Amino acid sequence: MQTEIEVGVNLKRLRQEKGWSLDKTAKETGVSKAMLGQIERGESSPTVAKLWQIASGFEVSLSSFIAASPNSELTSLFRDANELRHEEYNIGFFVSLLFPFEEALGFEIFELTLAPDYQHESAPHNAGVTEHILCISGEMAVMFDDEWHTLRAGQAVRFNANQSHGYKNIGEGNAVFHNVIHYPNNKQ
């Protein structure tokens, strides 16, 4: 699967850029050395939660793992969520990376689709990371500050993502939302 290969290549690249061994990477991310090796070799496809755990340990964006390294020059860019939508990370959770992290901007944008009754919980991100959720269609709830908050199409919320948080579909059809993740000081 192409995504497994990209994730593995990006994990190895980031690890080598930091000069980290697999042992050091396991310590920093809380993910076992065996699992990291399987990911690097494309033998294992990590869940979104596991990718966030690894990204937080590296102090980089999630898109650092699922996209090619972005061009450092900011140019016009058209994206189609329908062409980018993937379900490889969790069954019932579709991920479209609309705009990967770019240092000059300090954020990344995803379109996420939750199947009916799907719930995703995320571990805390690094200090200063904020998420901006805009419900596009359906009905969903976002968990932060130890409470679930309902969003309907057209409603939005921003919260500090350095806490446990999550998203769940509480409607009958798919819930589609945009997630703008901002990293402090343009630090991915």
Side-chain angles (χ1 to χ4, degrees), residues 7-183:
V7 169
V9 166
N10 288 329
L11 172 58
K12 188 171 187 173
R13 175 184 53 80
L14 288 166
R15 188 172 61 78
Q16 289 174 339
E17 285 173 4
K18 286 196 175 271
W20 288 0
S21 66
L22 280 174
D23 285 326
K24 169 79 171 168
T25 304
K27 181 180 176 191
E28 295 296 322
T29 64
V31 176
S32 75
K33 179 179 171 181
M35 173 64 80
L36 291 167
Q38 290 171 352
I39 294 168
E40 280 193 6
R41 292 186 302 273
E43 297 170 359
S44 178
S45 181
T47 64
V48 170
K50 192 62 67 182
L51 278 177
W52 264 119
Q53 183 179 351
I54 295 168
S56 293
F58 273 94
E59 296 185 354
V60 299
S61 66
L62 178 64
S63 63
S64 297
F65 289 98
I66 60 176
S69 296
N71 183 344
S72 61
E73 182 180 323
L74 290 179
T75 59
S76 298
L77 182 60
F78 292 92
R79 308 281 281 178
D80 184 341
N82 295 311
E83 294 176 6
L84 301 168
R85 193 169 291 118
H86 299 283
E87 193 183 22
E88 286 103 4
Y89 304 107
N90 298 84
I91 301 299
F93 187 48
F94 298 86
V95 177
S96 300
L97 176 57
L98 295 177
F99 295 100
F101 178 86
E102 293 183 60
E103 191 170 339
L105 300 174
F107 63 86
E108 60 193 354
I109 302 175
F110 294 90
E111 181 192 89
L112 302 169
T113 302
L114 306 174
D117 299 318
Y118 185 86
Q119 180 173 322
H120 174 79
E121 294 183 25
S122 183
H125 303 319
N126 294 327
V129 174
T130 56
E131 291 195 23
H132 308 73
I133 307 296
L134 171 60
C135 184
I136 303 300
S137 65
E139 188 175 6
M140 64 181 292
V142 181
M143 195 266 291
F144 59 91
D145 295 338
D146 296 322
E147 186 177 332
W148 286 100
H149 307 271
T150 299
L151 291 179
R152 291 177 179 80
Q155 294 181 322
V157 65
R158 177 184 68 206
F159 62 92
N160 291 323
N162 63 342
Q163 60 183 306
S164 294
H165 56 282
Y167 327 97
K168 67 179 174 181
N169 184 340
I170 57 175
E172 294 188 18
N174 284 345
V176 180
F177 64 102
H178 287 167
N179 188 351
V180 178
I181 303 173
H182 183 263
Y183 298 86

